[in-house]
Each structure stands twice: as structure tokens, then as C-alpha cells.
């Protein structure tokens, strides 16, 4: 059984990805906050016969990202890395503080660069790396300046990484979700805004974590071996 590492693998999209991977991988998931949720997911999947473990890791800290990769590699050859770390709020550009800018870039870009670096160093030949971005990187919604900028940067860095590891047969891609119905999204987004998001794509609904996990699974499959350095929209037809 090969080994997978899912950064941010306990909530929302990350949990859905973990469930898909647990069927045929030894999985290490990281969480930053909500340890009970991560441990519950790991325990549930372990009871079903999977091998899943959870550890705390702040993906904005170099030492903790390194430790997460170390932990995953203790259980076998690392063939899959999925980075689901990210978060946003809704500051107006006129109200931005230096602290908000630095915090958003750390969470949504610096963390991704650290993950890409370690993945490039450690993923086995022929492995798969998938980074989770956001439609904000393309649509640039109002009041998401730092988030959109950081995710756009993450997409660019992913394309660079893909070129640098291609000779080893490692693919590195981005999944770009639209509005996805997660606990986090609902906790920081007004009901009126959620209604608007639901009607903004061709399918006229929010995405689900399982929708996004299915796209990730596609990129992790053998059939996707000729796709690398790409950004795959998973938005339900967002214009």
C-alpha cells in the first residue's frame, strides 16, 4: 500500500479527499485546530479497515510542514500529496492592514510553497501532487483581494514545480473549486451571499466537498498521467 499525505485533510474538501484516498492508501492527515474532528475522522476510517492517522501541523511553519512529510514517510513510499490548506475573509481593499495581508499570504501562498518544495523533494517517481486553489484566483471577487492574489500565486508556483519534477514522472496540478458547501464557508458567509453563489454557475447549486474530491481523484489516477502543470476548474460551470 502506498502512502498519501493530505494537508488540511480533516474538514470540508480535505475530509472528502481523505475518504477517497483511504480506500487504497496509507493516509496521514494534518489539521490546525479542531483536533477532535481530525481524530474522529481517522478513528472512523480506521474502524473501517483503513490506515489513517492525524497530526497537528501549522502549514505556515516550515518545521511543521517538514515534520508532516517526515511522519507520512515513516509509513511507506510517499506517492500522493494533496494540499487542502487555505482560508479567507472579506476585507475591503481600503480597510486592509499589514497584518491581514501577511496572514492571508502566509496561509494561502507561503504554506503552499512549503508543501510544493517538500513534495518536489520527497514524492516518489511517478507520484502525484494536487494543490487546491479557488475560483477567486480567476474571478477576483470583491472583498477577496489577498485571497485571490495568494491563490493566483499558488497556481503559478504549481506550474513551475510541475516543470521541475516532470523528468521523474511526477505530475503536479491544481484543482480550482468554486463556492463549495462546507462548514467553514457557511460560518463566514452571509446567507444572501450563499444564495448568490448558488445561482452563479450553470448547475445552479453550491459544489459539495465530494464534487471536488472526485476531481482530485481524477488527477491522482493513472489515466491522468499526461496531465501536469494544469489548472482544472471544478466550479459547476461558473462563468
Amino acid at each position: 500500500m502506498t502512502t498519501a499525505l493530505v494537508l488540511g485533510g480533516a474538514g470540508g474538501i480535505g475530509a472528502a479527499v481523505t475518504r477517497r484516498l483511504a480506500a487504497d492508501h496509507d493516509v496521514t492527515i494534518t489539521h490546525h485546530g479542531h483536533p477532535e474532528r481530525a481524530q474522529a475522522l481517522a478513528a472512523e476510517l480506521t474502524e473501517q479497515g483503513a490506515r489513517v492517522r492525524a497530526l497537528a501541523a501549522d502549514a505556515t511553519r516550515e518545521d511543521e510542514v517538514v515534520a508532516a512529510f517526515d511522519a507520512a514517510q515513516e509509513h511507506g513510499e510517499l506517492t500522493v500529496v494533496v494540499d487542502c490548506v487555505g482560508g479567507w475573509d472579506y476585507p475591503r481593499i481600503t480597510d486592509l492592514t499589514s497584518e491581514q495581508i501577511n496572514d492571508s499570504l502566509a496561509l494561502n501562498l507561503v504554506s503552499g510553497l512549503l508543501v510544493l518544495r517538500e513534495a518536489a523533494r520527497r514524492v516518489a517517481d511517478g507520484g502525484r501532487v494536487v494543490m487546491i486553489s479557488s475560483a477567486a484566483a480567476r474571478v477576483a471577487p470583491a472583498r477577496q483581494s489577498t485571497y485571490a492574489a495568494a491563490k493566483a500565486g499558488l497556481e503559478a508556483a504549481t506550474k513551475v514545480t510541475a516543470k521541475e519534477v516532470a523528468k521523474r514522472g511526477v505530475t503536479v496540478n491544481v484543482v480550482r473549486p468554486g463556492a463549495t458547501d462546507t462548514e467553514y464557508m457557511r460560518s463566514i458567509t452571509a446567507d444572501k451571499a450563499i444564495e448568490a453563489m448558488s445561482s452563479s454557475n450553470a448547475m445552479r447549486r453550491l459544489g459539495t466537498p465530494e464534487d471536488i474530491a472526485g476531481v482530485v481523484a481524477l488527477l491522482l489516477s493513472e489515466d491522468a498521467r499526461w496531465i501536469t502543470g494544469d489548472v482544472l476548474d471544478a466550479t459547476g460551470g461558473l462563468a
Side-chain angles (χ1 to χ4, degrees):
M1 182 176 289
T2 57
T3 298
L5 173 63
V6 185
L7 290 299
I13 292 170
V17 169
T18 298
R19 291 180 186 280
R20 291 290 294 257
L21 284 170
D24 52 9
H25 291 79
D26 186 303
V27 186
T28 298
I29 63 175
T30 72
H31 64 89
H32 184 51
H34 301 290
E36 69 291 339
R37 182 173 64 187
Q39 296 296 340
L41 177 62
E44 173 197 338
L45 293 173
T46 299
E47 286 176 6
Q48 296 172 7
R51 287 190 271 182
V52 179
R53 71 202 57 79
L55 71 152
D58 179 351
T60 69
R61 290 178 52 104
E62 181 177 16
D63 59 334
E64 297 194 20
V65 172
V66 169
F69 275 81
D70 288 344
Q73 287 187 296
E74 287 177 2
H75 300 277
E77 185 177 54
L78 183 61
T79 60
V80 170
V81 174
V82 182
D83 183 13
C84 301
V85 173
W88 71 94
D89 53 13
Y90 298 103
R92 295 186 185 278
I93 192 73
T94 51
D95 298 332
L96 276 179
T97 65
S98 294
E99 182 179 14
Q100 287 174 313
I101 294 169
N102 291 334
D103 287 349
S104 183
L105 292 179
L107 179 60
N108 296 296
L109 178 56
V110 173
S111 67
L113 287 165
L114 292 171
V115 170
L116 286 167
R117 185 194 73 185
E118 290 304 306
R121 290 174 173 176
R122 303 184 192 224
V123 170
D125 291 358
R128 300 283 187 268
V129 181
V130 177
M131 310 296 286
I132 302 298
S133 180
S134 168
R138 174 172 66 85
V139 178
R143 301 183 67 171
Q144 290 193 25
S145 56
T146 57
Y147 184 61
K151 288 300 190 181
L154 176 67
E155 293 181 6
T158 301
K159 293 178 181 181
V160 171
T161 305
K163 294 175 180 178
E164 295 188 11
V165 300
K167 64 185 178 182
R168 297 200 293 110
V170 176
T171 67
V172 189
N173 291 290
V174 174
V175 172
R176 185 194 277 160
T180 305
D181 195 357
T182 64
E183 180 181 345
Y184 176 76
M185 191 272 281
R186 287 190 176 273
S187 73
I188 66 168
T189 307
D191 290 343
K192 186 175 181 179
I194 291 174
E195 291 176 9
M197 292 175 185
S198 300
S199 61
S200 65
N201 62 58
M203 293 189 176
R204 295 296 189 267
R205 67 171 175 85
L206 295 177
T208 68
E210 291 72 26
D211 290 330
I212 310 307
V215 180
V216 172
L218 171 65
L219 289 173
L220 297 179
S221 72
E222 178 61 19
D223 288 339
R225 63 188 176 276
W226 199 236
I227 302 173
T228 195
D230 209 348
V231 179
L232 189 55
D233 269 20
T235 65
L238 180 67

